[in-house]
Amino acid sequence: VAFDINVILEGHNQIGNNVQIGANCQLKNCTLADGVIIKAHSVLEGAEIGANSDVGPFARIRAGTKLAENVHVGNFVEIKNSTLGEGSKVNHLSYVGDADIGAQVNVGAGTITCNYDGVNKSRTTLETGAFIGSGTMLVAPVTVEAGATIGAGSVISKTAPAGQLTLSRAKQISLAAWQRPTKKSTA
């Protein structure tokens, strides 16, 4: 095990062989399998990280999260109470909460699982081989079936059928007569 500077370990952590933990990381009650890499400035609590997975930098992995083997969680990603299957990726700038993600799923940048309606939390399911385009909002409860692709910039609130492209976008328009507002004079 290789620890960089300022690593904080709290509670009971199980750490496998050949694990690397970067600078300024915090781990509380986590299990890290063999070959895991936790990059700098990441915070993990109550998580299980599978063999040869890598997390961070600047990731937050919250309680109830289980990553299978060879999972990649990139920078500025938060994951809570979710499972990610073998070889899945959540590369950057995403929030995944209360989700069940199969194997070999790619979650694009800026994806959010909209799991809380103000009263109840619902689950999102991304089946094996799904591809989620950047800037997608997945409004739970919702399922993206196996091998489906979600077009970037979509809001998905109904089942996305297996092997199909699903997207939702408003028609783009340009207004030629539009005038940009100007600052009002205070004099």
Side-chain angles (χ1 to χ4, degrees), residues 7-86:
V7 171
I8 298 173
L9 301 174
E10 298 179 82
H12 180 71
N13 294 287
Q14 294 179 309
I15 299 175
N17 296 314
N18 300 313
V19 170
Q20 299 174 40
I21 301 175
N24 305 307
C25 288
Q26 298 178 19
L27 279 75
K28 182 177 182 181
N29 300 322
C30 293
T31 300
L32 308 182
D34 294 347
V36 167
I37 299 172
I38 307 298
K39 296 177 184 168
H41 307 286
S42 295
V43 178
L44 289 76
E45 182 175 354
E48 295 179 27
I49 311 300
N52 302 310
S53 293
D54 65 287
V55 173
F58 295 98
R60 183 173 183 214
I61 310 299
R62 294 170 54 191
T65 297
K66 296 179 182 180
L67 308 184
E69 294 183 6
N70 301 305
V71 169
H72 171 70
V73 174
N75 52 302
F76 304 104
V77 171
E78 180 175 359
I79 301 178
K80 176 199 72 102
N81 191 30
S82 298
T83 60
L84 278 75
E86 185 172 355

Side-chain angles (χ1 to χ4, degrees), residues 89-178:
K89 300 175 185 177
V90 183
N91 282 313
H92 34 254
L93 303 165
S94 295
Y95 171 72
V96 174
D98 300 307
D100 300 300
I101 298 176
Q104 303 302 320
V105 171
N106 186 83
V107 177
T111 295
I112 297 174
T113 58
C114 306
N115 59 313
Y116 184 57
D117 65 7
V119 178
N120 299 300
K121 293 187 179 176
S122 299
R123 294 198 72 81
T124 297
T125 301
L126 307 179
E127 294 181 353
T128 298
F131 181 92
I132 312 301
S134 295
T136 295
M137 303 296 125
L138 299 164
V139 183
V142 69
T143 297
V144 176
E145 293 182 341
T149 296
I150 304 301
S154 293
V155 177
I156 303 299
S157 59
K158 297 177 186 166
T159 297
Q164 296 182 27
L165 169 65
T166 300
L167 56 99
S168 67
R169 295 183 184 144
K171 181 180 175 184
Q172 180 173 318
I173 61 171
S174 297
L175 304 173
W178 179 80

